[in-house]
Amino acid sequence: MTAQQNTSLASFTGDAQPYGGGDPYADYRTADLPFTQYANLADRQLGAGVVAANDEFFAQRENLLVPEPAEFDPEHFGHKGKVMDGWETRRRRGVSAEQPWPTEEDHDWALIRLGAPGVIRGIVVDTAHFRGNYPQAVSVEGASVAGSPSPEELLADDVKWTTLVPRTPVGGHAANGFPVSTEQRFTHLRLKQHPDGGIARLRVYGEVVPDPAWLAALGTFDVVALENGGRVEDASNLFYSPATNTIQPGRSRKMDDGWETRRRRDRGNDWIQYRLVDRCQIRAIEIDTAYLKGNSAGWASVSVKDGEDGEWREVLPRTRMQPDTNHRFVLPEAAVGTHARVDIFPDGGISRLRLFGTLTEDGAAHLAARHQELGG
């Protein structure tokens, strides 16, 4: 159980102790990973999926993208052995009695389709509860492939794979974090474990880079939506849930699927600041408080600014919110800007914010240029 420093992040190697009872996360090894401020591009809610794996004998590949932390039941065994909440392959063997060990090149792999293509800032390979059956090392590659390729197409010789995480030793029962500095747009990942073993969860943090042609075809769309390239820049309070929930696809499905703040005991208010997909004209607003019944925001307002140094301009004045309700507002005139801010009064929460509009001419040109620059 050793921890070293690697590219300014703590890295973990070696076995964890065998499970001794009690809270299985009590001896879980983790560190502060700065890139987790970005959205998880491998979120199932965005449409991510594990499309193939060469082996999933002990535990299914789909577990890699389950949003909740991995669970551990020490009494749960099946016909193939211990049931683990993750992706686990069988033990690799050599070619003969004289050579019973796997070679240096032997590995297992899984192909992951990102829910939203984008630039990757960091990856977490989580080996929670894999204490003595985790891989010796992992590596991650990325590719950019248009359309909806099959596993066979992704594995074809003409697909270019870029190394994002070189083969690196990892630790068991740990959040193994890797910063990524490749300025390129990726659609798919290939996760390798050397030579075999189990991984509980995979998280891929980065910035969404949408397809300009798709947004142009849509015409009017949600210019703050995560899947379209919007993102949260800052928020006043993240006590109960992340602010990024407010720009996730679809309606909230339960209370913690939105954004809720702690109870204020002062005269202030809570807020979220967003970066829009690019410079836009906003024409309509939705503020949804679904599943927030006794804890929804009392009132809300929306402001927009044009450029980093622009002045905030209120486009929706402070308006009474109803619990568990989707509120819709058509603006009297289009609001042009690159950033938006929702203020709630005095505290509470909202589940979703939707800002419907179109890219300005210069916003569309800038987005297209960035998409091309990043290899989209």
Side-chain angles (χ1 to χ4, degrees), residues 246 257-260 272 274 287-290 292 295-297 300 321 342 344 348-353:
T246 61
D257 195 18
W259 172 61
E260 182 189 359
I272 307 174
Y274 305 89
I287 302 175
D288 196 353
T289 59
L292 296 163
N295 50 356
S296 68
M321 295 285 105
V342 60
I344 63 171
I350 62 173
S351 60
R352 296 290 188 268
L353 174 71

Side-chain angles (χ1 to χ4, degrees), residues 16 190 208 213 349:
R190 181 162 58 188
V208 177

Side-chain angles (χ1 to χ4, degrees), residues 11 26 41 45 48 63 93 105 108 147 192 216 225 227 233 259 268 275 280 321 325 339 370 372:
S11 61
L41 304 183
Q45 201 169 350
N63 290 332
R93 299 299 187 225
E105 291 72 34
D108 292 317
K192 295 180 180 179
E227 61 187 322
E233 288 193 326
W259 172 61
R275 181 71 167 84
C280 304
M321 295 285 105
T325 300
H339 296 73
R370 184 166 185 257
Q372 184 176 14

